[in-house]
Amino acid sequence: MADRQAKVAVITGGTAGFGAATTRRFVREGWKVVITGRREQRLEELQQELGGPDVVHTVTLDMRDRAAVERSLGSLPAGFRDVDLLVNNAGLALGIEPAWACDMDDWETMVDTNIKGVLYATRTLLPGMVERNRGHVINLGSVAGSHPYPGGNVYMGTKAFVKQFSMGLRADLFGKPIRVTNVEPGLSESEFSVVRFRGDKDKADSLYEGKNPLTPDDIAECIHWAASLPPHVNINRIEVMPVSQSFAGLHAKPTE
Ligand code: NDP
Ligand code: 8X3
């Protein structure tokens, strides 16, 4: 039976990777969690695994659909309404081509999901946090928001936006007991690269091979740590990489 005093987290993108691991972590710590995603069956399976609808509320939606986000997150059922934590996690990269060869549809999908989806969820849930005078927004940025690499073009741009938006939220919330954190992971093994390489699992696997990448549980640990610190402590940014990853450094090569 769910504790009526349990804190409530909304975690977008709960059907895979970081979102699913973070949901498991918070439920284990006694939280109730709202999970969103497009793959309804996965949402339902996670709900069943973690104790049913008293503990996990599922919302099947596409984060690019502003009306759907506003409607569903703006009218959460009793017991899930007073949101203590929003984890803006849903997101993706599509492609790794140089800018002149990218697909404009991929660019728009990344902007619509990684930027606009974050805006829709935040704008819907932040007023309640301000009203209740408590809350925490944790965004999933990326090392890609700070460190450029070839083919990262628009994905990196979306994560740079998320980083700066996080700082902007902090600035707007000055004087209020509401926290904002940007979690910026590096190479982490999830479905992320299978999506990026359009279902090419071998290519995704070879990216991680022998590199001992971060795991979704590592990121769930970072998110839970930031959320469980005393309320006067705000972690602004967490940049985290596997030991095997580092900065590429500056290069020079002859112009073609
Ligand atoms: P996964 O591909 O494993 O999971 C992505 C999640 O986002 C899924 O639950 C997916 O749900 C959801 N999602 C994607 N697009 C939409 C959409 N249009 N509407 C609703 N939900 C959507 O990736 P990760 O767990 O690795 O990534 C999570 C976040 O972390 C992303 O923002 C990513 O950019 C970021 N990140 C990932 C890193 C990595 O190396 N893995 C490193 C740094 C940051 P569904 O498909 O069911 O809709
Ligand atoms: C994902 C990490 O380095 O593949 O945000 O862009 S990276």
Side-chain angles (χ1 to χ4, degrees), residues 18 93 96 141-145 147 149 152 155-156 159 184-188 192-193 196 207-208 245:
F18 302 168
I96 193 81
S142 168
V143 294
H147 309 288
Y149 58 85
Y155 177 69
M156 296 188 311
K159 293 304 184 181
E184 304 168 12
L187 190 76
S188 313
F192 178 83
S193 292
R196 179 171 226 168
L207 181 72
Y208 301 119
Q245 187 176 34

PDB file of all heavy atoms in Angstrom, residues 18 93 96 141-145 147 149 152 155-156 159 184-188 192-193 196 207-208 245, ligand 2:
ATOM      1  N   PHE A  18      17.764   5.736 -18.739  1.00  0.00           N
ATOM      2  CA  PHE A  18      17.864   6.511 -17.496  1.00  0.00           C
ATOM      3  C   PHE A  18      16.507   6.635 -16.804  1.00  0.00           C
ATOM      4  O   PHE A  18      16.415   6.582 -15.577  1.00  0.00           O
ATOM      5  CB  PHE A  18      18.368   7.935 -17.769  1.00  0.00           C
ATOM      6  CG  PHE A  18      19.707   8.052 -18.439  1.00  0.00           C
ATOM      7  CD1 PHE A  18      20.136   9.283 -18.942  1.00  0.00           C
ATOM      8  CD2 PHE A  18      20.559   6.955 -18.584  1.00  0.00           C
ATOM      9  CE1 PHE A  18      21.370   9.425 -19.554  1.00  0.00           C
ATOM     10  CE2 PHE A  18      21.800   7.081 -19.203  1.00  0.00           C
ATOM     11  CZ  PHE A  18      22.207   8.324 -19.695  1.00  0.00           C
ATOM     12  N   ALA A  93      18.969  11.564 -29.666  1.00  0.00           N
ATOM     13  CA  ALA A  93      19.810  12.059 -30.761  1.00  0.00           C
ATOM     14  C   ALA A  93      19.451  11.249 -31.987  1.00  0.00           C
ATOM     15  O   ALA A  93      19.146  10.059 -31.887  1.00  0.00           O
ATOM     16  CB  ALA A  93      21.285  11.875 -30.425  1.00  0.00           C
ATOM     17  N   ILE A  96      24.475  11.114 -36.989  1.00  0.00           N
ATOM     18  CA  ILE A  96      25.817  11.571 -36.590  1.00  0.00           C
ATOM     19  C   ILE A  96      26.536  12.147 -37.820  1.00  0.00           C
ATOM     20  O   ILE A  96      27.743  12.249 -37.877  1.00  0.00           O
ATOM     21  CB  ILE A  96      26.582  10.392 -35.927  1.00  0.00           C
ATOM     22  CG1 ILE A  96      27.855  10.796 -35.189  1.00  0.00           C
ATOM     23  CG2 ILE A  96      26.859   9.256 -36.921  1.00  0.00           C
ATOM     24  CD1 ILE A  96      27.616  11.337 -33.833  1.00  0.00           C
ATOM     25  N   GLY A 141      20.756  17.113 -19.268  1.00  0.00           N
ATOM     26  CA  GLY A 141      21.608  17.721 -20.281  1.00  0.00           C
ATOM     27  C   GLY A 141      22.526  16.637 -20.814  1.00  0.00           C
ATOM     28  O   GLY A 141      22.150  15.465 -20.901  1.00  0.00           O
ATOM     29  N   SER A 142      23.744  17.007 -21.128  1.00  0.00           N
ATOM     30  CA  SER A 142      24.715  16.041 -21.655  1.00  0.00           C
ATOM     31  C   SER A 142      26.077  16.707 -21.685  1.00  0.00           C
ATOM     32  O   SER A 142      26.169  17.944 -21.758  1.00  0.00           O
ATOM     33  CB  SER A 142      24.316  15.641 -23.076  1.00  0.00           C
ATOM     34  OG  SER A 142      25.368  14.934 -23.715  1.00  0.00           O
ATOM     35  N   VAL A 143      27.125  15.898 -21.692  1.00  0.00           N
ATOM     36  CA  VAL A 143      28.449  16.471 -21.967  1.00  0.00           C
ATOM     37  C   VAL A 143      28.428  17.154 -23.328  1.00  0.00           C
ATOM     38  O   VAL A 143      29.198  18.080 -23.589  1.00  0.00           O
ATOM     39  CB  VAL A 143      29.557  15.395 -21.930  1.00  0.00           C
ATOM     40  CG1 VAL A 143      29.729  14.834 -20.528  1.00  0.00           C
ATOM     41  CG2 VAL A 143      29.308  14.286 -22.939  1.00  0.00           C
ATOM     42  N   ALA A 144      27.509  16.693 -24.188  1.00  0.00           N
ATOM     43  CA  ALA A 144      27.388  17.282 -25.532  1.00  0.00           C
ATOM     44  C   ALA A 144      26.928  18.739 -25.478  1.00  0.00           C
ATOM     45  O   ALA A 144      27.069  19.467 -26.459  1.00  0.00           O
ATOM     46  CB  ALA A 144      26.417  16.459 -26.380  1.00  0.00           C
ATOM     47  N   GLY A 145      26.397  19.171 -24.358  1.00  0.00           N
ATOM     48  CA  GLY A 145      25.987  20.574 -24.209  1.00  0.00           C
ATOM     49  C   GLY A 145      27.170  21.491 -23.937  1.00  0.00           C
ATOM     50  O   GLY A 145      27.039  22.720 -23.989  1.00  0.00           O
ATOM     51  N   HIS A 147      30.806  20.120 -24.680  1.00  0.00           N
ATOM     52  CA  HIS A 147      31.995  19.675 -25.427  1.00  0.00           C
ATOM     53  C   HIS A 147      31.579  19.260 -26.832  1.00  0.00           C
ATOM     54  O   HIS A 147      30.835  18.296 -26.994  1.00  0.00           O
ATOM     55  CB  HIS A 147      32.650  18.496 -24.712  1.00  0.00           C
ATOM     56  CG  HIS A 147      32.913  18.742 -23.261  1.00  0.00           C
ATOM     57  ND1 HIS A 147      33.900  19.590 -22.815  1.00  0.00           N
ATOM     58  CD2 HIS A 147      32.285  18.273 -22.143  1.00  0.00           C
ATOM     59  CE1 HIS A 147      33.889  19.622 -21.494  1.00  0.00           C
ATOM     60  NE2 HIS A 147      32.915  18.837 -21.058  1.00  0.00           N
ATOM     61  N   TYR A 149      31.636  17.644 -30.642  1.00  0.00           N
ATOM     62  CA  TYR A 149      32.255  16.545 -31.392  1.00  0.00           C
ATOM     63  C   TYR A 149      31.612  16.511 -32.780  1.00  0.00           C
ATOM     64  O   TYR A 149      30.468  16.938 -32.950  1.00  0.00           O
ATOM     65  CB  TYR A 149      32.100  15.201 -30.665  1.00  0.00           C
ATOM     66  CG  TYR A 149      30.677  14.773 -30.386  1.00  0.00           C
ATOM     67  CD1 TYR A 149      29.910  14.095 -31.341  1.00  0.00           C
ATOM     68  CD2 TYR A 149      30.084  15.051 -29.159  1.00  0.00           C
ATOM     69  CE1 TYR A 149      28.600  13.701 -31.074  1.00  0.00           C
ATOM     70  CE2 TYR A 149      28.784  14.661 -28.880  1.00  0.00           C
ATOM     71  CZ  TYR A 149      28.045  13.990 -29.840  1.00  0.00           C
ATOM     72  OH  TYR A 149      26.756  13.615 -29.576  1.00  0.00           O
ATOM     73  N   GLY A 152      27.715  16.062 -33.907  1.00  0.00           N
ATOM     74  CA  GLY A 152      26.825  16.330 -32.764  1.00  0.00           C
ATOM     75  C   GLY A 152      25.902  17.515 -33.009  1.00  0.00           C
ATOM     76  O   GLY A 152      24.880  17.664 -32.331  1.00  0.00           O
ATOM     77  N   TYR A 155      22.048  18.014 -31.935  1.00  0.00           N
ATOM     78  CA  TYR A 155      21.884  17.370 -30.618  1.00  0.00           C
ATOM     79  C   TYR A 155      22.632  18.181 -29.557  1.00  0.00           C
ATOM     80  O   TYR A 155      22.081  18.476 -28.493  1.00  0.00           O
ATOM     81  CB  TYR A 155      22.391  15.922 -30.656  1.00  0.00           C
ATOM     82  CG  TYR A 155      22.290  15.269 -29.297  1.00  0.00           C
ATOM     83  CD1 TYR A 155      21.042  14.959 -28.741  1.00  0.00           C
ATOM     84  CD2 TYR A 155      23.427  15.009 -28.534  1.00  0.00           C
ATOM     85  CE1 TYR A 155      20.938  14.384 -27.476  1.00  0.00           C
ATOM     86  CE2 TYR A 155      23.331  14.435 -27.268  1.00  0.00           C
ATOM     87  CZ  TYR A 155      22.087  14.127 -26.750  1.00  0.00           C
ATOM     88  OH  TYR A 155      21.979  13.572 -25.485  1.00  0.00           O
ATOM     89  N   MET A 156      23.875  18.560 -29.863  1.00  0.00           N
ATOM     90  CA  MET A 156      24.659  19.344 -28.903  1.00  0.00           C
ATOM     91  C   MET A 156      23.970  20.678 -28.625  1.00  0.00           C
ATOM     92  O   MET A 156      23.944  21.144 -27.480  1.00  0.00           O
ATOM     93  CB  MET A 156      26.062  19.604 -29.454  1.00  0.00           C
ATOM     94  CG  MET A 156      26.866  18.334 -29.629  1.00  0.00           C
ATOM     95  SD  MET A 156      28.583  18.617 -30.060  1.00  0.00           S
ATOM     96  CE  MET A 156      28.441  19.777 -31.401  1.00  0.00           C
ATOM     97  N   LYS A 159      21.205  20.308 -26.140  1.00  0.00           N
ATOM     98  CA  LYS A 159      21.659  20.091 -24.756  1.00  0.00           C
ATOM     99  C   LYS A 159      22.315  21.353 -24.186  1.00  0.00           C
ATOM    100  O   LYS A 159      22.297  21.564 -22.973  1.00  0.00           O
ATOM    101  CB  LYS A 159      22.587  18.875 -24.688  1.00  0.00           C
ATOM    102  CG  LYS A 159      21.866  17.554 -24.986  1.00  0.00           C
ATOM    103  CD  LYS A 159      20.661  17.328 -24.064  1.00  0.00           C
ATOM    104  CE  LYS A 159      19.993  15.982 -24.275  1.00  0.00           C
ATOM    105  NZ  LYS A 159      18.817  15.772 -23.402  1.00  0.00           N
ATOM    106  N   GLU A 184      24.543  16.065 -16.543  1.00  0.00           N
ATOM    107  CA  GLU A 184      25.195  16.065 -17.860  1.00  0.00           C
ATOM    108  C   GLU A 184      26.069  14.825 -18.027  1.00  0.00           C
ATOM    109  O   GLU A 184      27.277  14.859 -17.793  1.00  0.00           O
ATOM    110  CB  GLU A 184      26.028  17.350 -17.994  1.00  0.00           C
ATOM    111  CG  GLU A 184      25.189  18.612 -17.791  1.00  0.00           C
ATOM    112  CD  GLU A 184      26.023  19.885 -17.624  1.00  0.00           C
ATOM    113  OE1 GLU A 184      27.241  19.852 -17.888  1.00  0.00           O
ATOM    114  OE2 GLU A 184      25.442  20.915 -17.224  1.00  0.00           O
ATOM    115  N   PRO A 185      25.463  13.718 -18.452  1.00  0.00           N
ATOM    116  CA  PRO A 185      26.251  12.487 -18.586  1.00  0.00           C
ATOM    117  C   PRO A 185      27.034  12.435 -19.888  1.00  0.00           C
ATOM    118  O   PRO A 185      26.664  13.028 -20.906  1.00  0.00           O
ATOM    119  CB  PRO A 185      25.186  11.372 -18.597  1.00  0.00           C
ATOM    120  CG  PRO A 185      23.890  12.038 -18.231  1.00  0.00           C
ATOM    121  CD  PRO A 185      24.031  13.467 -18.639  1.00  0.00           C
ATOM    122  N   GLY A 186      28.108  11.649 -19.839  1.00  0.00           N
ATOM    123  CA  GLY A 186      28.850  11.273 -21.042  1.00  0.00           C
ATOM    124  C   GLY A 186      28.397   9.902 -21.494  1.00  0.00           C
ATOM    125  O   GLY A 186      27.248   9.490 -21.239  1.00  0.00           O
ATOM    126  N   LEU A 187      29.298   9.178 -22.114  1.00  0.00           N
ATOM    127  CA  LEU A 187      28.978   7.889 -22.750  1.00  0.00           C
ATOM    128  C   LEU A 187      28.273   6.932 -21.779  1.00  0.00           C
ATOM    129  O   LEU A 187      28.854   6.503 -20.783  1.00  0.00           O
ATOM    130  CB  LEU A 187      30.285   7.251 -23.239  1.00  0.00           C
ATOM    131  CG  LEU A 187      30.130   6.026 -24.127  1.00  0.00           C
ATOM    132  CD1 LEU A 187      29.710   6.445 -25.532  1.00  0.00           C
ATOM    133  CD2 LEU A 187      31.457   5.257 -24.178  1.00  0.00           C
ATOM    134  N   SER A 188      27.039   6.622 -22.094  1.00  0.00           N
ATOM    135  CA  SER A 188      26.210   5.775 -21.213  1.00  0.00           C
ATOM    136  C   SER A 188      25.460   4.770 -22.079  1.00  0.00           C
ATOM    137  O   SER A 188      24.835   5.157 -23.078  1.00  0.00           O
ATOM    138  CB  SER A 188      25.171   6.622 -20.473  1.00  0.00           C
ATOM    139  OG  SER A 188      25.742   7.780 -19.917  1.00  0.00           O
ATOM    140  N   PHE A 192      19.883   4.676 -26.282  1.00  0.00           N
ATOM    141  CA  PHE A 192      20.200   5.962 -26.913  1.00  0.00           C
ATOM    142  C   PHE A 192      20.884   5.806 -28.280  1.00  0.00           C
ATOM    143  O   PHE A 192      20.478   6.433 -29.269  1.00  0.00           O
ATOM    144  CB  PHE A 192      21.094   6.755 -25.948  1.00  0.00           C
ATOM    145  CG  PHE A 192      21.562   8.079 -26.452  1.00  0.00           C
ATOM    146  CD1 PHE A 192      20.760   9.209 -26.345  1.00  0.00           C
ATOM    147  CD2 PHE A 192      22.820   8.224 -27.029  1.00  0.00           C
ATOM    148  CE1 PHE A 192      21.201  10.441 -26.803  1.00  0.00           C
ATOM    149  CE2 PHE A 192      23.259   9.447 -27.495  1.00  0.00           C
ATOM    150  CZ  PHE A 192      22.451  10.564 -27.374  1.00  0.00           C
ATOM    151  N   SER A 193      21.918   4.957 -28.334  1.00  0.00           N
ATOM    152  CA  SER A 193      22.678   4.850 -29.597  1.00  0.00           C
ATOM    153  C   SER A 193      21.953   4.002 -30.635  1.00  0.00           C
ATOM    154  O   SER A 193      22.125   4.218 -31.841  1.00  0.00           O
ATOM    155  CB  SER A 193      24.087   4.309 -29.333  1.00  0.00           C
ATOM    156  OG  SER A 193      24.816   5.276 -28.602  1.00  0.00           O
ATOM    157  N   ARG A 196      19.863   6.526 -32.103  1.00  0.00           N
ATOM    158  CA  ARG A 196      20.673   7.470 -32.899  1.00  0.00           C
ATOM    159  C   ARG A 196      21.083   6.851 -34.233  1.00  0.00           C
ATOM    160  O   ARG A 196      21.068   7.525 -35.263  1.00  0.00           O
ATOM    161  CB  ARG A 196      21.929   7.870 -32.106  1.00  0.00           C
ATOM    162  CG  ARG A 196      22.814   8.809 -32.868  1.00  0.00           C
ATOM    163  CD  ARG A 196      23.946   9.377 -32.031  1.00  0.00           C
ATOM    164  NE  ARG A 196      24.028  10.802 -32.263  1.00  0.00           N
ATOM    165  CZ  ARG A 196      24.744  11.651 -31.551  1.00  0.00           C
ATOM    166  NH1 ARG A 196      25.438  11.248 -30.531  1.00  0.00           N
ATOM    167  NH2 ARG A 196      24.757  12.931 -31.848  1.00  0.00           N
ATOM    168  N   LEU A 207      30.112   1.037 -30.328  1.00  0.00           N
ATOM    169  CA  LEU A 207      30.464   2.320 -29.699  1.00  0.00           C
ATOM    170  C   LEU A 207      30.864   2.117 -28.231  1.00  0.00           C
ATOM    171  O   LEU A 207      31.730   2.818 -27.701  1.00  0.00           O
ATOM    172  CB  LEU A 207      29.259   3.274 -29.792  1.00  0.00           C
ATOM    173  CG  LEU A 207      29.436   4.669 -29.211  1.00  0.00           C
ATOM    174  CD1 LEU A 207      30.356   5.504 -30.095  1.00  0.00           C
ATOM    175  CD2 LEU A 207      28.088   5.367 -29.088  1.00  0.00           C
ATOM    176  N   TYR A 208      30.198   1.165 -27.591  1.00  0.00           N
ATOM    177  CA  TYR A 208      30.431   0.960 -26.155  1.00  0.00           C
ATOM    178  C   TYR A 208      31.494  -0.097 -25.858  1.00  0.00           C
ATOM    179  O   TYR A 208      32.034  -0.146 -24.752  1.00  0.00           O
ATOM    180  CB  TYR A 208      29.118   0.515 -25.478  1.00  0.00           C
ATOM    181  CG  TYR A 208      27.983   1.513 -25.632  1.00  0.00           C
ATOM    182  CD1 TYR A 208      26.804   1.171 -26.289  1.00  0.00           C
ATOM    183  CD2 TYR A 208      28.099   2.801 -25.113  1.00  0.00           C
ATOM    184  CE1 TYR A 208      25.763   2.083 -26.430  1.00  0.00           C
ATOM    185  CE2 TYR A 208      27.065   3.720 -25.248  1.00  0.00           C
ATOM    186  CZ  TYR A 208      25.901   3.353 -25.905  1.00  0.00           C
ATOM    187  OH  TYR A 208      24.884   4.263 -26.041  1.00  0.00           O
ATOM    188  N   GLN A 245      36.389   7.856 -20.895  1.00  0.00           N
ATOM    189  CA  GLN A 245      36.103   8.978 -21.800  1.00  0.00           C
ATOM    190  C   GLN A 245      36.819  10.238 -21.308  1.00  0.00           C
ATOM    191  O   GLN A 245      36.934  10.464 -20.110  1.00  0.00           O
ATOM    192  CB  GLN A 245      34.594   9.235 -21.844  1.00  0.00           C
ATOM    193  CG  GLN A 245      34.150  10.253 -22.875  1.00  0.00           C
ATOM    194  CD  GLN A 245      32.623  10.392 -22.924  1.00  0.00           C
ATOM    195  OE1 GLN A 245      31.946  10.281 -21.907  1.00  0.00           O
ATOM    196  NE2 GLN A 245      32.090  10.644 -24.102  1.00  0.00           N
TER     197      GLN A 245
HETATM  198  C1  8X3 B   2      24.859  11.681 -25.119  1.00  0.00           C
HETATM  199  C2  8X3 B   2      26.324  11.686 -24.933  1.00  0.00           C
HETATM  200  O1  8X3 B   2      28.536  11.999 -26.092  1.00  0.00           O
HETATM  201  O2  8X3 B   2      26.869  10.644 -27.222  1.00  0.00           O
HETATM  202  O3  8X3 B   2      24.313  12.884 -24.706  1.00  0.00           O
HETATM  203  O4  8X3 B   2      26.612  13.025 -27.120  1.00  0.00           O
HETATM  204  S1  8X3 B   2      27.109  11.856 -26.410  1.00  0.00           S
END
